[in-house]
Amino acid sequence: MEGFVSDQVINGTWGELWVDDTYMAEVTSFKLEINAKYTAISRTRSLMDGQKLTGVEAKGEVKLHKISSFLAKKVSDGLKVGKIPNFKIISKLADPAGLGTERVVAYGCKFDKAILADWEHGKNAEESYSFTCEDWDFIDTI
C-alpha cells in the first residue's frame, strides 16, 4: 500500500476465538503461523547449499485468562487414554476502524500439553497452550 490512515491499523482488542465452536471470551492473545521446511541441496562448484522446500509446518499459541478447566480437561482426558483430541480453531479480528474482518480457521489442531495447575499467590491466573495443526483456510481477508 502506498499510504494508509492510522486508524486502519488493526488492534488486537477486537480479536475473538472459537475452539470447537465454543466461544473463548477469556482469550488474551492468539497466534497461528505457517513455517516452510527446507532441505539443503549441495551443488557442484559452490560452497553454498541451495534450499528445496520439502514441507510445511503449522503451529500456534493461545493465551487465556484462567476462567475454567475447558481446555485442560479436554486435552487431559485424551492424553489419559492415549488419544490426542483434534480441535478446530477459528480466529476473528475485526477492528471497527479497520478495513474489514479477517477470519482464519485451523483444522486438526493438537495441543501439546494440558495445564492441570499453575497459579501464584496475589496474581491473576493465566494459561498458555501451544498447538500444531494439519490444515488452515482464510474465511475472510482484509
Side-chain angles (χ1 to χ4, degrees):
M1 291 179 72
E2 191 172 308
F4 65 93
V5 177
S6 298
D7 283 347
Q8 294 171 341
V9 174
I10 297 172
N11 186 294
T13 297
W14 305 102
E16 297 180 272
L17 194 77
W18 290 261
V19 174
D20 281 348
D21 301 320
T22 299
Y23 182 68
M24 305 295 292
E26 63 271 32
V27 69
T28 60
S29 72
F30 179 73
K31 182 178 187 176
L32 174 62
E33 60 186 17
I34 310 305
N35 296 303
K37 295 165 90 178
Y38 296 97
T39 300
I41 305 296
S42 61
R43 301 180 287 184
T44 59
R45 299 187 52 85
S46 177
L47 296 175
M48 176 95 49
D49 286 344
Q51 298 295 315
K52 168 104 175 129
L53 178 67
T54 56
V56 177
E57 178 183 54
K59 59 185 175 180
E61 183 176 45
V62 178
K63 290 183 183 176
L64 311 161
H65 292 296
K66 176 66 175 176
I67 302 293
S68 73
S69 303
F70 175 75
L71 280 181
K73 180 83 169 113
K74 285 190 131 197
V75 175
S76 173
D77 288 352
L79 291 173
K80 203 166 195 178
V81 296
K83 183 178 180 200
I84 302 295
N86 284 310
F87 297 91
K88 175 180 75 173
I89 299 175
I90 298 175
S91 167
K92 177 183 175 187
L93 192 52
D95 188 321
L99 295 175
T101 299
E102 180 179 80
R103 288 191 306 153
V104 178
V105 59
Y107 303 103
C109 298
K110 293 177 176 64
F111 288 98
D112 299 334
K113 63 185 174 188
I115 301 170
L116 304 181
D118 184 7
W119 57 271
E120 185 176 337
H121 175 75
K123 289 192 176 182
N124 293 332
E126 296 180 325
E127 298 178 316
S128 181
Y129 288 92
S130 55
F131 65 92
T132 60
C133 73
E134 297 174 359
D135 199 6
W136 69 93
D137 284 311
F138 277 97
I139 300 169
D140 297 310
T141 59
I142 299 173

